Amino acid sequence: MFDSINEMQIPIPHDENGMVGRECPNSECLGFFKIKLGTGILEEGYNQCFCPYCGYKSTQEHFLTQEQLNYAKSIAIRETQNALEKEFRKWDRQLRSGTRNSFIKLSVEYKKNHQPIAYYAEPELETHLTCENCGLVYAVYGKFAYCPNCGADNTLQILKANLELVRKMIAQIKSQEDPEFREYLIHTALGNVVSAFDSFGKNTVTLFTKHTEKSEIRISFQNIIKAGEKIQKEFGLDIYDGLGDEKWQQIVVNFQKRHLISHNDAIVDEVYLTITSDRNSILGRAVIVSIEDIEDMLDSIEYIAKKLQSGLVDWKVKIK
Ligand SMILES: [Zn+2]
Ligand SMILES: [Zn+2]
């Protein structure tokens, strides 16, 4: 009876740049991002989608946003109603003509409810990127680590984009007058630098050691001193070489400050003072992070990242 509604293809509207929103189905993440249709892997039948934030992998239809689902549902209900209305009209015609000459006249009418279409607008996002591996054009907000189409970690490209976000954040912090909120944003920005560098480091090491005898190596880059020592031991690389003492010291201090903020309510402890020899901080008092501290560190982070990447390229050539 309702052949027309057995299967319904509902195109999801895109924004003026041809981008459509996606939402990670992982309930612990629910991250929002956008992809540009017609870019990325265009192989017939390829339907994979990766969450750029948590790496959750599934097929495209699992990444519909709640708004898109509501929209599709509203279209489906409207189409179903139209199909029903058509069938009822047909039935009505049959009844009327069949009972035209009979004593009892029959007719039927279908009254449909008005089904409004749940139109929606998708939020504007901060970082626009093209995957160096598959060519997907996509947009993300906040820290991320994977291409939503091929799942590649374009590590250096992603690190740079994440540091750029921190620069944008710093620009906003400068105009922030509420001191408490300002402090909160500075701490967040510092945390973002450290975790962006940590995921860069981890992903880079995983990428280069894949299918080698060092494929099991796991290095945390949150502890920048230990990470350097381990890189030196495993790959014979000095990733801080050429950075200069002052810049190196600044990174050590900032990373240790981040550690205090995350694990010690931002209160200066003995371990911090021993590691950093920071004369501006007082035992038992709250640690102070300045915007300039973070700003100055960004280029050094990129320097170390490049050093790690090129060092591992050489290492890979050598072991072949
Ligand atoms: Zn996710
Ligand atoms: Zn890709």
Side-chain angles (χ1 to χ4, degrees), residues 256-301:
Q256 289 305 318
K257 282 183 178 173
R258 156 81 197 313
H259 188 80
L260 287 182
I261 292 162
S262 316
H263 305 289
N264 205 34
D265 292 330
I267 304 299
V268 176
D269 61 14
E270 304 246 11
V271 181
Y272 170 84
L273 291 174
T274 312
I275 295 175
T276 62
S277 330
D278 175 10
R279 293 208 194 110
N280 301 317
S281 295
I282 301 161
L283 185 68
R285 296 263 182 91
V287 76
I288 293 167
V289 187
S290 75
I291 306 179
E292 291 71 26
D293 277 347
I294 304 174
E295 221 169 11
D296 289 350
M297 179 178 68
L298 297 177
D299 288 340
S300 310
I301 290 288

Side-chain angles (χ1 to χ4, degrees), residues 2 4-5 75-89 110 112-113 115:
F2 301 119
S4 53
I5 53 169
I75 297 264
I77 291 173
R78 187 178 267 197
E79 294 287 312
T80 309
Q81 285 183 340
N82 288 344
L84 277 171
E85 191 181 28
K86 224 164 100 192
E87 292 297 329
F88 267 83
R89 270 209 212 108
Y110 172 67
K112 64 175 175 183
N113 293 322
Q115 171 62 37

Side-chain angles (χ1 to χ4, degrees), residues 43-69:
E43 223 169 88
E44 184 132 10
Y46 185 84
N47 192 27
Q48 291 295 338
C49 190
F50 295 82
C51 171
Y53 310 104
C54 73
Y56 184 90
K57 179 182 159 189
S58 193
T59 43
Q60 287 287 355
E61 65 273 18
H62 291 106
F63 283 81
L64 289 168
T65 67
Q66 200 49 55
E67 287 77 14
Q68 286 166 346
L69 283 170

Side-chain angles (χ1 to χ4, degrees), residues 131-136 147-152 154:
C131 172
E132 284 169 353
N133 187 44
C134 75
L136 180 81
C147 164
N149 195 198
C150 68
N154 305 313

